[in-house]
Amino acid sequence: MRHPKYELYYWPGIPGRGEFVRLAFEAAGVPYVDIALQKNAVSSMMKMMSAARVPVRPLAPPFLKVGGAIVAQTSLILQWLGPRIGLVARDETSRFATQQIELTIADFLVEVHDVHHPIASSLYYEDQKRESKHRAAIFRKERIPKYLDWLEGILARNRSGWLVGRSMSYADTSTFQVMTGLAYAFPRTMRRARNRYPHLEKLRDRVATHANIARYLASPRRAEFNESGIFRHYPELDP
Ligand SMILES: N[C@@H](CCC(=O)N[C@@H](CS)C(=O)NCC(=O)O)C(=O)O
C-alpha cells in the first residue's frame, strides 16, 4: 500500500506526546519522517508552527504534516491516522470507542504532567516541589486507580485481549505507553498495584512483543523516558 510522506513534528529528546504517534506508525510498519531526530528540529518545528500556510496552525506539538495539510492534537492525529494506516477497526462504533479511550488517555496525560508541575509549566519542578508532593499523593491514591480500573474493566469485558474489537488499535499502543510510563515514574506504586491490573499487564506485554513494536523498542529511534518529559521519576513523589 502506498502512503503519503508523513512528517511528525515534536520536541527532540523526550518521548512526551509525540511518542503516542510514533508508536502508531511503528506498530503499523508505516514509514514516517521524525523531524525530532533531524538537525535543527526545534527551529523547523517553531517555523512550521508560526508560518505554516494553513488556516489553523497548531498551538502546540505534536503535529503531523502531510502534503499541504497539518493535523495537531495527539488524539486527533491518531483518529485521522488510524484508518489510513490500518490501526483501528472499520466499523463506526469501534472507531468511536477507540477515540473515546484515546481522549481519556489525553486527559490522564494532563494529570500525569501536572503531578510534577501543579502550579505552572513555566516554573521549574524545584519551585513547586511542595505542591507536587501533595498532588502526587492524591494522584497515586485516587487518579491512577480511577483511570487504570476503567481500562482494566474494558479489557476484562472484551475477550480478545485488545481494548476494542479483535485486533490491535492505537488505543492499545497508547495504553502500552501509559503503562510503561507509569512504571518508570511511579515504580513503587505500580509494583504494589501489580495484582490489580492483570489484563493491562498482559496488554502491555502483548504490545511490547508485537514484532514491529519489539523492533522499534530495541532501536535507537525509541525515545527513552527522562526527567524532561511527561512521565518523570522523582523518588520523593513515589515513596
Ligand atoms: N492537547 C494537546 C496538548 C499538546 C501539548 O501540551 N504539547 C506540549 C508538549 S507534550 C507542549 O509543547 N506544550 C506547549 C505549551 O502548552 O505551551 C495534545 O494532546 O496534543
Side-chain angles (χ1 to χ4, degrees):
M1 190 175 170
R2 277 179 65 84
H3 289 281
K5 184 178 178 188
Y6 293 115
E7 291 179 309
L8 172 62
Y9 287 79
Y10 193 62
W11 300 107
I14 57 167
R17 290 181 173 85
E19 197 64 11
F20 290 81
V21 183
R22 284 193 197 101
L23 281 167
F25 278 122
E26 296 285 350
V30 170
Y32 63 105
V33 181
D34 192 346
I35 302 292
L37 297 179
Q38 297 187 348
K39 259 209 291 191
N40 307 320
V42 173
S43 57
S44 314
M45 183 177 87
M46 291 305 186
K47 208 161 125 197
M48 194 57 77
M49 275 172 62
S50 60
R53 290 165 189 264
V54 288
V56 182
R57 293 177 182 151
L59 178 80
F63 58 91
L64 205 60
K65 182 172 180 302
V66 191
I70 289 187
V71 188
Q73 290 285 354
T74 314
S75 313
L76 183 65
I77 295 170
L78 291 169
Q79 183 179 15
W80 185 85
L81 212 48
R84 289 171 167 80
I85 64 175
L87 208 58
V88 70
R90 282 177 197 278
D91 63 289
E92 192 181 45
T93 307
S94 299
R95 286 191 179 177
F96 273 102
T98 308
Q99 187 59 5
Q100 186 188 337
I101 295 170
E102 196 62 41
L103 286 164
T104 309
I105 288 175
D107 289 346
F108 188 43
L109 290 182
V110 174
E111 296 194 29
V112 174
H113 171 271
D114 289 355
V115 168
H116 50 77
H117 278 78
I119 303 296
S121 299
S122 53
L123 296 176
Y124 289 111
Y125 165 63
E126 285 68 26
D127 297 327
Q128 40 194 324
K129 267 178 109 162
R130 206 166 56 92
E131 294 86 352
S132 291
K133 220 167 165 183
H134 192 183
R135 182 144 186 167
I138 298 166
F139 177 77
R140 291 191 314 267
K141 185 162 179 283
E142 297 175 4
R143 304 308 287 173
I144 292 181
K146 170 119 190 173
Y147 283 94
L148 295 195
D149 283 351
W150 180 74
L151 288 166
E152 178 72 18
I154 298 170
L155 283 170
R157 283 190 300 279
N158 190 14
R159 295 220 203 99
S160 71
W162 302 111
L163 282 158
V164 181
R166 282 191 300 260
S167 45
M168 185 168 74
S169 72
Y170 62 81
D172 297 304
T173 52
S174 294
T175 299
F176 159 81
Q177 184 65 3
V178 166
M179 291 302 286
T180 49
L182 287 175
Y184 173 83
F186 302 96
R188 292 168 67 90
T189 303
M190 292 307 284
R191 228 174 289 128
R192 281 195 290 265
R194 208 171 21 220
N195 297 331
R196 187 165 173 161
Y197 309 117
H199 293 88
L200 275 171
E201 301 236 325
K202 217 183 245 175
L203 175 74
R204 182 202 56 206
D205 295 347
R206 197 172 179 190
V207 172
T209 53
H210 177 276
N212 289 349
I213 294 288
R215 210 171 303 124
Y216 169 60
L217 297 179
S219 79
R221 298 194 304 282
R222 166 69 166 172
E224 301 294 347
F225 293 108
N226 58 38
E227 279 53 70
S228 304
I230 296 174
F231 292 97
R232 302 186 186 189
H233 179 55
Y234 294 123
E236 62 275 22
L237 302 185
D238 181 45

